[in-house]
Structures are given as C-alpha cells and as structure tokens.
Amino acid sequence: MVKIIAVHNQKGGVGKTTTTTNVGFELARKGYKVLLADLDPQATLTSALGVTDPEETVFSALQGAVDGKETRLPWIRLQENISLCPSCRKMADAEYLLQNEYGRENFLKELAAKTDGGYDFVLLDCPPAVGLITVNALVAATDLIIPVQPEVASLYGLVSILDTVAVIQRKINRGLNLLGMLVTQYDRRTTLHAEILEAMRKQYGETVFSTVVSYSRNSNGAADYRSLTREILSRLNMVDNK
C-alpha cells in the first residue's frame, strides 16, 4: 500500500518544503519510488527542483476533476525513483474551484488513487494555511508530519493544528496517522530551544521525532534528514535498504 505523507504546518517558514524534498530524495536513494506533490500556490518546491512553467499541474488535475474529466496527478521524472507533481500560481484559485463542489474534501484523494507509477511514497508539501487544499491533503494522507520551530508561538500553534487533525480523524479520515512532530531550525547553543524541545517531549512523548534538524552555519542538514528518514521507516515498519 502506498504511503501518502502530508507535511503540514499552518505557519510558513518552518521547513515543510525542505523536509519534503530531503526525505523524498533520501527515500529514493534507498530504492523506494517517490512522488513529491507541491500543493502550495507559491510553488516553492516546484521552482526549487528546477521546474518552470509546467504544462500540467495539481491545479489542472483538480480543474479536470471538477469538469468531470478522467484526470490523475501529473508527474515529471526528476531522476531515478523520484518524480514531481508540480504546482503553479493558479493553485491560489483552488479554494474557489472546490468550494461549491460535492465531496470537495475528497478530490485530491481520488486523484492520487488514479495516479499510476507504482509509487511507494507520495509526499504532500502543504500550503501554510488550513483551507480546502490542506483539508484535501489530510483526507488523502495515510500519515502526517508536522515540522515545528522551537519557539513559544509554535507551541500555541500546535494546539490548533492538532485540533484540526482530530476533526479530520473523527469525521473524514479515521486512518490518518500522526507520524510525528519534527523540530526544525534547532540551535543547540540556545537555552530556549532546549527548553522548548524538552517541553514538547514531555507533553507529546514519542510523537516528537528523536531527530531534530539543526540550524547553524556548520550544521549538516543532510545528516539530520538521513536520520529522520531512518526514523520514519522504522515508525512505518518498513525496510531500510541502505
């Protein structure tokens, strides 16, 4: 069964796109077939991977589905084992596109189900908001990763995110699994960061990943994401091939 992992936080700048990209490429390196889906109107993931003016995007797939066409999520092969489903600026109109549609929360799930390619993982890079696109992502997902900065405001924001997730789990997607909270941009020299990390682990226990993504000029982010990917595979009871 394909694992569809949403990477979501309603706050911007917490490392959603960086996490999606690094985990995706590390999974591909390990031999898993991966699709990265950019759901953000800013198309940061798409542009970061060197894709400009794609002919087909998540938005065009959604538009086709609304129009009753037989559509799927488009993909562009990046390299061995990894592809991109690109976004575009028109994704800003997706909320309006879906708002009056019956079953509006299920469009992305249905598109993902039709997408061929034999993927082991689909990683959804969510927009920094809780709108219809994010709800669609949480309905389509089997699992959720929440990147969190070690800041007091982030802890308050977590409460809102978890409330949203609980509603989705209760009413629409009972199978949605909170895979973990990932502390990003962690500065080991900062006492406040250490205190917030300790507070998160005390409150949320093993839901917080053991891996933290460090922030410093000398940090090795790639090593952090390799560690995170190993932890993800372990939590999913999947084989770590490398």
Side-chain angles (χ1 to χ4, degrees), residues 95-104 132:
E95 301 285 327
Y96 303 103
L97 178 70
L98 298 179
Q99 66 180 353
N100 294 320
E101 297 296 316
Y102 290 111
R104 59 188 183 178
L132 268 176

Side-chain angles (χ1 to χ4, degrees), residues 72-207:
R72 58 167 176 76
L73 291 178
W75 51 270
I76 299 168
R77 188 175 184 272
L78 300 173
Q79 62 184 52
E80 186 178 6
N81 292 332
I82 193 161
S83 300
L84 169 70
C85 178
S87 184
C88 62
R89 296 290 182 183
K90 287 185 178 180
M91 274 299 288
D93 298 327
E95 301 285 327
Y96 303 103
L97 178 70
L98 298 179
Q99 66 180 353
N100 294 320
E101 297 296 316
Y102 290 111
R104 59 188 183 178
E105 302 91 352
N106 294 294
F107 274 76
L108 186 62
K109 180 179 181 179
E110 292 169 2
L111 288 171
K114 296 175 186 175
T115 299
D116 53 12
Y119 296 106
D120 301 299
F121 289 92
V122 177
L123 273 59
L124 308 176
D125 186 18
C126 298
V130 183
L132 268 176
I133 298 306
T134 295
V135 170
N136 264 260
L138 296 177
V139 171
T142 57
D143 300 273
L144 169 65
I145 293 174
I146 305 174
V148 184
Q149 288 175 301
E151 300 174 349
V152 174
S154 297
L155 295 183
Y156 290 117
L158 260 179
V159 176
S160 177
I161 296 169
L162 294 175
D163 285 346
T164 300
V165 171
V167 171
I168 297 291
Q169 290 171 322
R170 186 171 67 251
K171 294 188 174 182
I172 313 177
N173 184 4
R174 294 183 182 276
L176 178 61
N177 170 51
L178 177 51
L179 191 57
M181 302 171 186
L182 172 67
V183 175
T184 62
Q185 302 174 33
Y186 182 76
D187 190 337
R188 299 179 187 277
R189 302 166 299 176
T190 305
T191 302
L192 179 61
H193 283 198
E195 291 174 348
I196 290 175
L197 178 59
E198 182 180 359
M200 286 183 62
R201 286 180 169 159
K202 183 176 181 179
Q203 183 169 356
Y204 298 111
E206 293 183 357
T207 303

Side-chain angles (χ1 to χ4, degrees), residues 8-43:
H8 165 62
N9 189 316
Q10 62 199 32
K11 185 177 184 297
V14 299
K16 293 187 295 292
T17 299
T18 301
T19 298
T20 302
T21 304
N22 281 276
V23 170
F25 274 87
E26 183 62 16
L27 287 169
R29 188 187 70 81
K30 291 177 180 292
Y32 288 104
K33 196 164 186 181
V34 180
L35 176 64
L36 307 178
D38 188 353
L39 306 183
D40 192 340
Q42 297 181 48

Side-chain angles (χ1 to χ4, degrees), residues 38-86:
D38 188 353
L39 306 183
D40 192 340
Q42 297 181 48
T44 305
L45 174 63
T46 301
S47 59
L49 294 174
V51 176
T52 57
D53 298 321
E55 291 185 9
E56 294 183 293
T57 64
V58 177
F59 182 80
S60 64
L62 288 170
Q63 179 73 72
V66 168
D67 293 342
K69 298 177 182 177
E70 190 66 25
T71 57
R72 58 167 176 76
L73 291 178
W75 51 270
I76 299 168
R77 188 175 184 272
L78 300 173
Q79 62 184 52
E80 186 178 6
N81 292 332
I82 193 161
S83 300
L84 169 70
C85 178

